[in-house]
Amino acid sequence: MGQTKDETRKNTGDMSQEPQIVFQNVVKYFGNTTAVEKMNLTVKKGEFIAIMGSSGCGKTTTLRMLAGMETPSEGEIRLNGQRINELKPSERNTPMVWQSLALFPFLNVIQNVEFGLKMRGIGTEERRRRSLEWLSRMAIEEFAERSIDQLSGGQRQRVALARALVTEPPVLLLDEPLSALDANLVVRMQGVLSRLQKELGITFVYVTHSQSEAFAMADRVVIMSKGVVEQVGSPQEVYRKPASRFVANFVGSNNILNGDVSAIDTSSVIIETEIGAVRANLPTDHEYSMGVHLGLVISADAMDLSMTEEQSKDNQFRCRLVSESFVGAMVTMLVETDSGIELKIQLFQKELDQIGFSENTSSSGTFLWVSWSKSSVYILPQ
Amino acid sequence: MKNTGRLLTVILIGYLVFIFIFIFTPIITSIIFSFNSDRFPTIPLGSFTLKWYELIYNDPDVWEAAKNSLIVSVSVGILSTIIGFCTAYTDFRYEFRFKNMYLALALLPPTVPLIILALAMLAWFSKIGVSGQLWTIVLAHTVLCAPFAMAVIRLRLQQMDADLESAAWNLGASEWLAMKEVVIPFALPSIVSAMCLTMAVSFDEFAVAWFVSGLNKTIPVMILEILQGNIDPQINAIGTFVFFTSMTLVIIAQLFFTFRSPKATL
């Protein structure tokens, strides 16, 4: 759903110009296994796109095909309108930041950064000048003459970035570049990357298994599973309108319910689920009939809580508190409905105070009323 | 438990000491007698002298043999290192059917008894009518030494992050440039090590050289020929020279072999 909407917007907005990167029916086999299946994807110039999925989903293979380390078995990949399937890695200008960083251990910092320029036959002086510029841009010019093993993880990361960007490429590929850093540094480097991408205005293709990294930086995310693109959309779309059950599960903090349509009126549809009847908005273009099986997604932060039963709620269920955990100002609660199904709820601490919920009254087993509006129920595409 | 551990240490140290005694006593004896004025190696020693060294210095045959040995060992060092590098690189870079068989074949020559290898070489060289030439020794030694070079270089390449070469291509290096700028610099310590090691092996090798050499004697062949004639303290002087040359090469090889560039891991 999110996907189709996104496609139409792009097609109308960008007719004049071919997108920078196009994957057209790309398939990649390794022996008998299919690593990437019928991939269709377009990336606009200057976009920050994150390809996300668990390990073995084909995200790294996709990136390696873009860099030329793998050749597609079928289909076509175009970069700036030119077919690149047959180009050698050295004939594309698609530098990559590697998960292992792959810095050359026998070269010092500035020699590492100069490498790409040297391979392009650029003279010693200009090479040095441009590399120094990038080192200072990454705030590591003081380490120019150091050897790689004398640097910290974050500094190496910056060297790897400078090395990839010094040739001023149209596209930068990043393969889980932050996976080896500790949490604090990850947040800092996310800031560095986002800012860099905006300043340079070049396309970033970022492969990660981390939802927080992808959502924090990307304009659009691609969610892959077992070689198949499950959804392409902005982080909000993927989060609010998951295109499939897989995506709904993958992006976490969602409650997923299943049931059959038991009633339809002019504005809403009622689905008999495992926790009872749930009321949802009736989509205008619906094709639901009685008894159709549907999957529902209600995100944890769309749920409300009260200590007593309230009137005029679209959906309201009595639950028992199972557990709660606090992260900063956010509280995540697990509750169990009378029918024994667990629901996840996310609220601000402030909201909890307002409804008179406090540490003292909240022992596990306390009865609460959980409610949500019918508009926050998202019906998964069938 | 602790006591048995200590006992074991003592035994092992004793064992090591004995090995060193057995290896080095004859060599050291030979070195000492090379400075002894007496014609026969007897104790008590005579006076200190350099005359045996003067003798070999003034002997054109020794120079000829030394020149032959130098030419052979340097050529063998270079050739077998090149072949060894190529074999090690194919192992590192490519996956193919029968790769294990390929590797086994590449490592085979040192397992063939030297005398068999030497005889086979002689027979084959005579058959094609090239026996007795210096370069046939080079060829025969290269067959023998290339597997050592390969083993040394292969160990180093195994430490290389496979992404390193891809990273070079990714930054615009052609396959040749990546080889020149990344693979060879990374493997350089092992390349130097392999070269020194194969030079040392070739320099000391006797059996194959004796069979194949004809009139172009290398030093080990010449030593045997002198020994067959008479007891001559010149041998001790030549032996000392050979010992120090080989030791230097092997020590350099070892130093480079154990070299580990600090790996750029996080």
Side-chain angles (χ1 to χ4, degrees):
Chain A
M1 242 179 195
Q3 193 170 357
T4 46
K5 208 165 127 195
D6 194 58
E7 293 299 317
T8 30
R9 188 178 59 213
K10 190 157 62 252
N11 286 346
T12 48
D14 242 324
M15 285 296 268
S16 53
Q17 195 188 355
E18 157 125 0
Q20 186 157 42
I21 301 168
V22 179
F23 279 79
Q24 197 172 355
N25 295 326
V26 172
V27 181
K28 177 67 187 175
Y29 304 110
F30 289 114
N32 290 327
T33 55
T34 311
V36 174
E37 212 173 298
K38 281 266 179 226
M39 181 180 226
N40 282 294
L41 179 68
T42 56
V43 183
K44 280 176 293 183
K45 192 172 180 299
E47 205 173 9
F48 195 135
I49 193 151
I51 305 178
M52 217 169 97
S54 38
S55 64
C57 72
K59 57 187 194 300
T60 299
T61 306
T62 305
L63 199 71
R64 289 175 65 88
M65 283 196 284
L66 210 45
M69 249 54 84
E70 309 286 353
T71 315
S73 311
E74 288 169 25
E76 184 173 83
I77 303 176
R78 288 197 298 275
L79 180 65
N80 296 322
Q82 186 202 1
R83 178 187 163 99
I84 57 168
N85 288 35
E86 287 79 22
L87 286 188
K88 288 185 177 165
S90 56
E91 296 164 338
R92 316 169 176 209
N93 196 3
T94 52
M96 181 147 150
V97 178
W98 305 73
Q99 185 167 16
S100 64
L101 297 186
L103 295 172
F104 304 122
F106 44 85
L107 299 179
N108 66 20
V109 168
I110 188 141
Q111 288 167 333
N112 260 284
V113 177
E114 280 181 41
F115 192 89
L117 297 171
K118 192 175 169 193
M119 295 304 111
R120 281 171 176 73
I122 288 163
T124 324
E125 265 173 47
E126 189 186 346
R127 226 153 67 194
R128 197 153 187 93
R129 183 180 55 74
R130 283 169 66 177
S131 303
L132 276 173
E133 253 172 48
W134 268 98
L135 286 181
S136 68
R137 185 160 194 166
M138 301 308 300
I140 44 170
E141 70 269 38
E142 64 203 282
F143 306 121
E145 302 296 333
R146 292 246 186 120
S147 77
I148 298 301
D149 63 294
Q150 288 173 296
L151 302 184
S152 71
Q155 289 160 350
R156 283 178 198 178
Q157 198 80 54
R158 288 161 191 263
V159 177
L161 271 171
R163 184 179 73 170
L165 288 167
V166 72
T167 55
E168 283 152 29
V171 176
L172 181 69
L173 311 180
L174 303 106
D175 184 12
E176 309 222 15
L178 307 184
S179 59
L181 300 182
D182 61 62
N184 272 334
L185 215 49
V186 167
V187 176
R188 266 240 301 285
M189 286 308 293
Q190 277 178 10
V192 171
L193 285 172
S194 292
R195 206 171 51 241
L196 207 55
Q197 195 262 343
K198 286 200 183 69
E199 283 170 11
L200 298 170
I202 67 172
T203 310
F204 274 30
V205 182
Y206 189 100
V207 161
T208 181
H209 65 269
S210 154
Q211 190 190 330
S212 64
E213 278 177 28
F215 280 25
M217 295 185 284
D219 299 322
R220 279 198 303 156
V221 290
V222 177
I223 301 202
M224 290 184 75
S225 160
K226 295 177 186 148
V228 178
V229 173
E230 293 278 339
Q231 189 170 8
V232 184
S234 69
Q236 290 78 5
E237 277 171 329
V238 170
Y239 188 69
R240 294 284 177 213
K241 296 177 182 170
S244 66
R245 190 170 296 264
F246 174 83
V247 177
N249 266 316
F250 188 76
V251 297
S253 70
N254 282 321
N255 295 295
I256 302 171
L257 301 172
N258 301 289
D260 303 323
V261 174
S262 64
I264 301 178
D265 63 30
T266 48
S267 65
S268 42
V269 52
I270 293 170
I271 301 108
E272 199 60 46
T273 69
E274 54 268 56
I275 63 167
V278 172
R279 183 179 289 268
N281 264 351
L282 188 67
T284 46
D285 55 348
H286 82 97
E287 284 166 11
Y288 305 139
S289 52
M290 299 291 288
V292 168
H293 191 75
L294 293 176
L296 308 179
V297 179
I298 306 133
S299 63
D301 56 359
M303 295 202 166
D304 282 320
L305 202 64
S306 58
M307 303 304 288
T308 52
E309 188 167 10
E310 289 180 11
Q311 298 303 308
S312 68
K313 289 285 185 189
D314 296 337
N315 297 290
Q316 183 162 233
F317 294 90
R318 192 177 74 149
C319 298
R320 266 195 5 259
L321 182 63
V322 177
S323 68
E324 51 185 332
S325 62
F326 297 82
V327 179
M330 286 296 278
V331 186
T332 304
M333 292 178 153
L334 269 184
V335 298
E336 196 182 82
T337 62
D338 287 343
S339 46
I341 304 293
E342 278 196 351
L343 295 177
K344 208 188 309 177
I345 306 174
Q346 257 175 7
L347 288 167
F348 281 106
Q349 178 71 58
K350 221 162 58 187
E351 296 174 272
L352 275 185
D353 297 340
Q354 278 166 8
I355 61 162
F357 178 93
S358 68
E359 299 291 317
N360 312 330
T361 55
S362 68
S363 54
S364 67
T366 310
F367 282 108
L368 301 162
W369 291 87
V370 175
S371 60
W372 59 89
S373 70
K374 60 178 188 168
S375 60
S376 56
V377 178
Y378 173 73
I379 304 172
L380 282 172
Q382 282 161 295
Chain B
M1 191 63 208
K2 204 173 179 186
N3 277 336
T4 49
R6 192 171 298 160
L7 187 67
L8 195 67
T9 313
V10 170
I11 291 172
L12 285 176
I13 288 175
Y15 179 68
L16 203 65
V17 168
F18 270 108
I19 285 185
F20 277 115
I21 289 174
F22 278 108
I23 291 178
F24 287 105
T25 313
I27 295 170
I28 291 167
T29 312
S30 171
I31 294 172
I32 290 169
F33 282 119
S34 77
F35 295 108
N36 184 15
S37 62
D38 292 348
R39 182 163 180 80
F40 295 98
T42 51
I43 289 175
L45 297 168
S47 56
F48 177 84
T49 178
L50 288 175
K51 82 176 164 194
W52 310 117
Y53 287 91
E54 277 166 39
L55 221 60
I56 61 168
Y57 184 81
N58 291 317
D59 185 343
D61 284 351
V62 172
W63 279 106
E64 184 63 27
K67 199 187 87 190
N68 284 342
S69 274
L70 188 72
I71 293 173
V72 168
S73 62
V74 170
S75 314
V76 168
I78 294 171
L79 273 179
S80 45
T81 303
I82 291 173
I83 295 172
F85 176 81
C86 293
T87 326
Y89 181 74
T90 47
D91 170 47
F92 165 76
R93 172 74 192 281
Y94 300 102
E95 289 301 325
F96 48 91
R97 275 180 80 172
F98 308 122
K99 183 169 158 180
N100 283 336
M101 208 186 286
Y102 166 79
L103 289 178
L105 273 176
L107 287 168
L108 195 64
T111 63
V112 178
L114 273 183
I115 202 83
I116 310 251
L117 195 71
L119 266 172
M121 286 284 178
L122 176 63
W124 187 66
F125 284 139
S126 325
K127 195 139 223 153
I128 60 171
V130 295
S131 65
Q133 298 181 38
L134 201 56
W135 63 266
T136 58
I137 311 180
V138 173
L139 225 56
H141 276 184
T142 302
V143 169
L144 195 65
C145 291
F148 293 113
M150 176 207 162
V152 168
I153 296 170
R154 188 162 164 249
L155 274 176
R156 174 72 182 161
L157 286 181
Q158 275 170 357
Q159 294 171 23
M160 185 161 132
D161 177 359
D163 286 343
L164 231 47
E165 202 182 8
S166 307
W169 303 334
N170 182 248
L171 291 165
S174 63
E175 301 211 6
W176 279 114
L177 265 178
M179 172 70 79
K180 179 171 151 268
E181 298 285 341
V182 174
V183 182
I184 290 178
F186 187 90
L188 197 58
S190 68
I191 290 173
V192 175
S193 175
M195 189 119 57
C196 291
L197 192 70
T198 49
M199 274 166 68
V201 171
S202 164
F203 194 78
D204 289 346
E205 204 286 328
F206 166 72
V208 174
W210 189 76
F211 272 89
V212 179
S213 61
L215 294 174
N216 300 297
K217 283 172 271 185
T218 59
I219 283 181
V221 176
M222 192 194 67
I223 291 177
L224 185 83
E225 291 194 349
I226 296 174
L227 273 177
Q228 281 172 331
N230 53 9
I231 293 173
D232 188 336
Q234 276 187 69
I235 295 293
N236 291 329
I238 300 173
T240 306
F241 164 70
V242 171
F243 173 72
F244 280 107
T245 312
S246 301
M247 275 315 267
T248 311
L249 286 171
V250 171
I251 288 169
I252 295 174
Q254 184 62 29
L255 285 179
F256 277 95
F257 184 61
T258 50
F259 173 90
R260 276 191 177 36
S261 72
K263 273 187 93 181
T265 44
L266 293 171

